[in-house]
Amino acid sequence: MKNILDLDLQELKQWMKENGEKEFRAKQVIDWIYKEVWSFSEMSNLSKTTIEKLEKSFYIGIPEIIETYSSKREDTRKHLFLLKDGNVIESVVMKYKHGNSICVSTQIGCKMGCKFCASTIGGIVRNLTSGEILGQIIKAQSELKERISNVVLMGSGEPLDNFENVLKFICNVNSEHGLNIGQRHITLSTCGIVPKIKMLADLNLQITLAISLHAPNDEIRRQTMPIANAYTIKELLEACEYYIGKTNRRITFEYALVKGFNDTKENAEELSRILKGMLCHVNLIPINEINESTLKKSNMEEINKFKDILIKNGIETTIRREMGLDINAACGQLRRSYLEKKE
Ligand code: SAH
């Protein structure tokens, strides 16, 4: 049995044809799924035989919600989902004035090993399929009872380490027959797998690329991010320039501030120097402290000073609003605490 969400419209049309059905049935089935009809037998414009054929080949892989946490301000909601094979993953829904946004997971666990991140602690279990990534949005949207208009691939996992499935997911989210979310409303965050950034650039998508930089030089970066041993910041920034050249899109650099580690005046000056002249934007993140790590968050005062230096040097900078602190909303924290409880 296959998850029908893993197919795109073209593939489902092909399946219909191969199974003696009219191609337009594919669109009907997909429309039902987006209308939140998640059982073939309730799709009232299909014949009994079509329904039987579908039931023999597919299941509709909408994940089950096993836990939901809402922040006190009700602007952040975190879901823990149960997948068909018993694995759990998490997504975060954030309500902003400009619309609703979801942060989805792309892998179960992660193998990148960043020291500040809870997702990677138990290593990787497996990649998510495109349909499993999509299922998070369909289910969350139905819970929210409002349209989700922005997608960030910033949950557990390294999206560029699951390249094919992530691309298919992006196409399906973007499709007018699917969620119809514009590419400019999709952000992909990566720890910086240089060859994959170039592959992505060659596809010429209009999505926003976010790079988890978190350090102004290789020496500091290598202390928390193992990927920095594979690629230097110089190589990473060259790949970013290549991406900008191909897509003309502004890149976001994420920089999580850790007390006394990467948050000094000198660090801000060095960061300004390496980013000078690039079509980019820096998003400063007060690090979310996790149990398994001794890294501490910088004070708001230091964060503001850091920001002022970047701005003085002509680098566009914002500070990420902390929305889900009271519900363990940092990458992988929810799945992690769930697994610990079970043990
Ligand atoms: N693997 C991808 C996407 C997932 S992480 C990546 O590395 O970009 C999404 C963002 O959250 C990354 O910038 C990541 O470095 C950051 N992050 C992870 N754990 C964090 C924590 N405890 N506090 C703040 N940011 C964190």
Side-chain angles (χ1 to χ4, degrees), residues 116-117 154-155 157-159 189-191 212 214 254 287-288 290 331:
F116 42 79
C117 181
M154 285 192 192
E158 168 48 49
S189 176
T190 175
C191 64
S212 299
H214 303 325
E254 297 160 276
I287 202 158
N288 221 318
I290 61 170
C331 242

Side-chain angles (χ1 to χ4, degrees), residues 29-150:
V29 171
I30 288 177
D31 284 347
W32 280 120
I33 295 174
Y34 286 106
K35 277 188 234 154
E36 296 178 23
V37 171
W38 297 333
S39 137
F40 294 121
S41 61
E42 286 168 41
M43 299 183 174
S44 56
N45 54 3
L46 302 181
S47 72
K48 227 177 135 214
T49 50
T50 314
I51 290 170
E52 276 167 11
K53 283 185 203 170
L54 283 164
E55 281 173 343
K56 263 194 212 132
S57 299
F58 300 111
Y59 62 94
I60 304 175
I62 308 291
E64 191 186 316
I65 293 183
I66 41 180
E67 282 173 24
T68 294
Y69 298 87
S70 291
S71 64
K72 284 190 207 87
R73 282 187 297 184
E74 297 277 327
D75 54 1
T76 309
R77 223 180 267 189
K78 185 145 189 168
H79 298 301
L80 191 67
F81 291 114
L82 180 65
L83 301 177
K84 204 164 162 69
D85 67 354
N87 274 300
V88 297
I89 54 169
E90 59 198 80
S91 319
V92 188
V93 178
M94 289 150 289
K95 298 185 77 155
Y96 295 103
K97 281 198 203 82
H98 64 262
N100 300 315
S101 190
I102 187 166
C103 173
V104 293
S105 294
T106 55
Q107 296 180 315
I108 302 169
C110 181
K111 65 174 182 226
M112 294 300 148
C114 300
K115 291 256 163 52
F116 42 79
C117 181
S119 298
T120 195
I121 290 167
I124 186 161
V125 179
R126 65 171 174 85
N127 281 334
L128 292 177
T129 67
S130 64
E132 285 172 327
I133 310 174
L134 187 62
Q136 299 168 52
I137 310 184
I138 299 178
K139 182 67 177 187
Q141 187 165 265
S142 127
E143 280 295 303
L144 191 65
K145 298 186 178 66
E146 278 178 32
R147 178 166 190 259
I148 289 178
S149 51
N150 284 281

